[in-house]
Amino acid sequence: MAARKVALLTFLAAACCAVHAPSTAAWSTAISHKHSPGSTGPAAAHPPGMHIVIAVHQEDVNEVEQYVEKLLGIRSVAATHPRIFIYCKGTPVFVAQARDRGFAHEVIELPNVGREQETYLWHIVAHYDRLPEHVFFSQALANYEELLLGRLQTLFSPRTGALGLGLVAICTCEGYSDLWAGHGPGGFIRLREVWALAQGTLCPHEFACFHNGFLVASRARLHLQPRKLYEYLLGLFATPANHPLRANEELYKHVKSNLPDEWPTWGHVMERSWNALLNCTDVEVAYGCNTPCESEDCSQLERCQCLDDGTPHAGVAPI
Ligand SMILES: *[C@@H]1O[C@H](CO)[C@@H](O)[C@H](O)[C@H]1NC(C)=O
């Protein structure tokens, strides 16, 4: 176990500082400019194989466009004919620019609440009954671009159930993560409760958890939870300070950690909750993602993700 942890940390140290050279993307398509959430055009009636959900805050539109091109340059992603959703929080200029450029199918403005996690829940709630085979949730730019593109390239397939595209760690039920020395920062007390809601069991000691807010989830995995649970979790972002849920702030906030006060605690709980919601919690997934592959075939699909059973959806090319 200790050796694996050393390997994990070594790998992460390497992964964190690598910069990926832009790849050429084959990306040309006619794009419409719908921006009303829940719109029911012909495309919505027959969802494509993937939604790419991008949560923008104040990023540069050129960089976001380049990022989208890189995603679409990955064959297995392009094969799904993804529909691109750009969600903007507090950036009217970006909204206008993105609509003008036309690199997304839908550009949607949301109130600036809850960062990317609130956006992801919003998307699921809005599309719950028409989810495509996969939803790729992403911040506007990759934290670890080489890692993200590499994993998509080698691991994403029609059988992907849940795949973390940021750092994948081992978390405790309070959100302490082995990515930080001494298992900090953490103290996200509510994580234990979200686990119980999602899994119907008490939280075990530790589990694999995706970090950074980048993941691919299949419809089958997203549908493991009822829509009303996503609605409930979404609503928690708007819990007023005088609500009984917040009477004991210690339960709501991180405790005994050095996280800056302005970090949204509930967002961090959500960031660490996807594994329980998507039932992809085995710590071996985290080890598989973080141990440098030493065998000949490093593209074994099960190494660093949770796969769905069953035959791939017709029309989605296998990689
Ligand atoms: C969750 O995953 C476990 C382990 O892979 C599996 O045994 C169980 O059936 C899954 N639960 C659901 C509801 O799919």
Side-chain angles (χ1 to χ4, degrees):
M1 201 69 103
R4 291 170 111 177
K5 285 204 170 158
V6 171
L8 181 153
L9 290 171
T10 312
F11 173 83
L12 291 173
C16 94
C17 304
V19 177
H20 185 77
S23 61
T24 326
W27 167 237
S28 70
T29 181
I31 283 191
S32 66
H33 291 264
K34 280 195 228 116
H35 46 87
S36 52
S39 66
T40 51
H46 301 285
M50 182 185 279
H51 285 177
I52 298 183
V53 171
I54 299 185
V56 172
H57 181 222
Q58 292 183 331
E59 290 80 1
D60 177 79
V61 73
N62 293 314
E63 291 182 42
V64 177
E65 185 170 10
Q66 281 167 21
Y67 172 59
V68 170
E69 284 174 359
K70 285 179 207 167
L71 297 178
L72 295 169
I74 293 175
R75 204 156 60 92
S76 56
V77 172
T80 68
H81 304 295
R83 190 167 178 81
I84 317 282
F85 295 77
I86 303 268
Y87 288 97
C88 302
K89 291 190 166 169
T91 46
V93 174
F94 189 102
V95 173
Q97 290 171 329
R99 285 189 185 143
D100 196 42
R101 302 288 184 94
F103 64 89
H105 297 84
E106 303 196 26
V107 181
I108 298 148
E109 274 186 281
L110 291 179
N112 191 11
V113 172
R115 299 194 188 180
E116 84 284 352
Q117 297 296 325
E118 198 259 4
T119 300
Y120 299 169
L121 288 166
W122 197 95
H123 187 85
I124 294 169
V125 169
H127 296 268
Y128 190 84
D129 294 327
R130 294 169 187 273
L131 288 171
E133 294 289 309
H134 290 101
V135 184
F136 173 4
F137 299 102
S138 177
Q139 303 212 47
L141 297 172
N143 288 17
Y144 303 97
E145 189 175 272
E146 189 180 27
L147 179 151
L148 178 144
L149 295 174
R151 259 186 218 159
L152 274 178
Q153 198 118 40
T154 54
L155 299 176
F156 173 67
S157 91
R159 287 187 63 211
T160 291
L163 170 62
L165 294 170
L167 304 182
V168 178
I170 295 166
C171 283
T172 68
C173 297
E174 291 75 36
Y176 289 99
S177 162
D178 66 354
L179 285 179
W180 286 273
H183 251 47
F188 299 104
I189 307 301
R190 293 290 192 190
L191 181 56
R192 187 181 282 279
E193 295 177 60
V194 182
W195 175 288
L197 289 170
Q199 293 272 319
T201 65
L202 300 184
C203 186
H205 173 56
E206 58 182 22
F207 53 89
C209 78
F210 302 154
H211 279 285
N212 311 113
F214 297 86
L215 67 150
V216 177
S218 68
R219 176 176 57 221
R221 297 265 168 173
L222 289 165
H223 279 175
L224 286 175
Q225 308 301 336
R227 176 196 217 132
K228 71 174 199 287
L229 178 56
Y230 295 113
E231 282 170 352
Y232 176 68
L233 298 173
L234 176 62
L236 290 173
F237 278 95
T239 311
N242 63 356
H243 191 282
L245 264 182
R246 298 184 63 172
N248 181 351
E249 278 292 311
E250 290 232 322
L251 287 178
Y252 213 80
K253 291 177 82 77
H254 55 88
V255 292
K256 296 194 177 92
S257 90
N258 54 1
L259 287 184
D261 278 347
E262 65 273 17
W263 282 28
T265 308
W266 180 243
H268 284 279
V269 171
M270 272 311 305
E271 178 190 348
R272 291 156 174 75
S273 292
W274 289 104
N275 298 75
L277 292 165
L278 302 173
N279 196 30
C280 181
T281 59
D282 191 333
V283 292
E284 292 302 324
V285 171
Y287 288 127
C289 291
N290 294 314
T291 310
C293 175
E294 281 160 9
S295 68
E296 293 223 330
D297 177 12
C298 293
S299 62
Q300 297 139 348
L301 294 180
E302 65 278 8
R303 240 184 79 235
C304 165
Q305 64 177 321
C306 293
L307 296 173
D308 287 343
D309 298 328
T311 48
H313 178 261
V316 177
I319 56 170

